Amino acid sequence: MKVRASDSFAIDLAARAIGRGEVICLPTDTVYGIGADPFDRDAISRLLTAKSRTRANPPPVLVSDIAQAQSVAATISNLGLALMEEFWPGALTIVVPAREDIGWDLGQTNGTVALRVPDSQLTRDLLSVVGPLAVTSANQHGEPPATTVDEAVAQLGDAVTLYLDGGLVGGGAGIASTIVDVREPMRILRHGGISQEQLETVLGVEL
């Protein structure tokens, strides 16, 4: 099912689908993502299966704001918080230690979680309603990420229950978020929408 991602009706449909343990497709500021309830192991399995990935490749988690990020993280360093405050909402994913009592199973995370606040108002509104979502890019593993909902449908088909159509995202560039592990030693795990120079300017250190 495909609906326009423009109002509370879309958020209600998406929230209901998430509550049923289904996988949805949603727009972000970078590329389209597919999301599921991180606390539902079966839903995570459906998410990974849709993307042809295994539990060795755990999905990141989208959150609505810094407070929601802090609710699932064990600790966040001062430098990590500085990056969040500067670049969220935006194309930056932060890897931090996850709370030991969080109660989810995203796969082989080694006790960490990768968090991001997307620069998409509708998606943040959805996250405010349903809580954090496990979200990975809407494409088959090894294929280009989708920047339109039709590209996502072509790759994922019936593996996704609901597609939220937010039009062209990321200017069609298909550039994913930058991923930074903010534990010591801090390092860039993937280059993306936020440059190394931008990161180092905020941190005052070289990465």
Side-chain angles (χ1 to χ4, degrees), residues 23 34-36 42-52 59 134-136:
V23 178
I34 51 173
D42 290 338
I44 295 301
S45 293
R46 294 186 192 101
L47 180 75
L48 295 173
T49 299
K51 196 175 168 67
S52 300
V135 177
T136 186

Side-chain angles (χ1 to χ4, degrees), residues 9-155:
F9 173 69
I11 292 175
D12 183 62
L13 284 178
R16 289 173 183 269
I18 291 295
R20 292 191 297 267
E22 297 170 1
V23 178
I24 69 167
C25 179
L26 66 165
T28 78
D29 48 318
T30 54
V31 297
Y32 274 82
I34 51 173
D37 181 355
F39 296 96
D40 186 331
R41 183 183 175 89
D42 290 338
I44 295 301
S45 293
R46 294 186 192 101
L47 180 75
L48 295 173
T49 299
K51 196 175 168 67
S52 300
R53 297 180 80 167
T54 69
R55 300 182 74 79
N57 301 108
V61 171
L62 294 187
V63 290
S64 61
D65 52 28
I66 291 177
Q68 203 173 77
Q70 291 172 318
S71 74
V72 299
T75 59
I76 303 175
S77 67
N78 289 335
L79 290 179
L81 284 171
L83 292 179
M84 291 174 175
E85 291 168 355
E86 178 69 23
F87 297 112
W88 281 3
L92 180 68
T93 298
I94 302 285
V95 176
V96 298
R99 274 177 39 201
E100 292 184 3
D101 63 345
I102 193 62
W104 62 31
D105 183 3
L106 301 177
Q108 298 174 22
T109 64
N110 296 315
T112 67
V113 61
L115 300 171
R116 184 166 90 89
V117 176
D119 194 7
S120 166
Q121 188 62 57
L122 180 128
T123 297
R124 293 200 306 277
D125 289 345
L126 174 62
L127 295 165
S128 294
V129 171
V130 302
L133 286 179
V135 177
T136 186
S137 57
N139 57 285
Q140 286 291 321
H141 186 54
E143 296 298 320
T147 58
T148 68
V149 74
D150 288 336
E151 290 175 355
V153 171
Q155 293 198 52

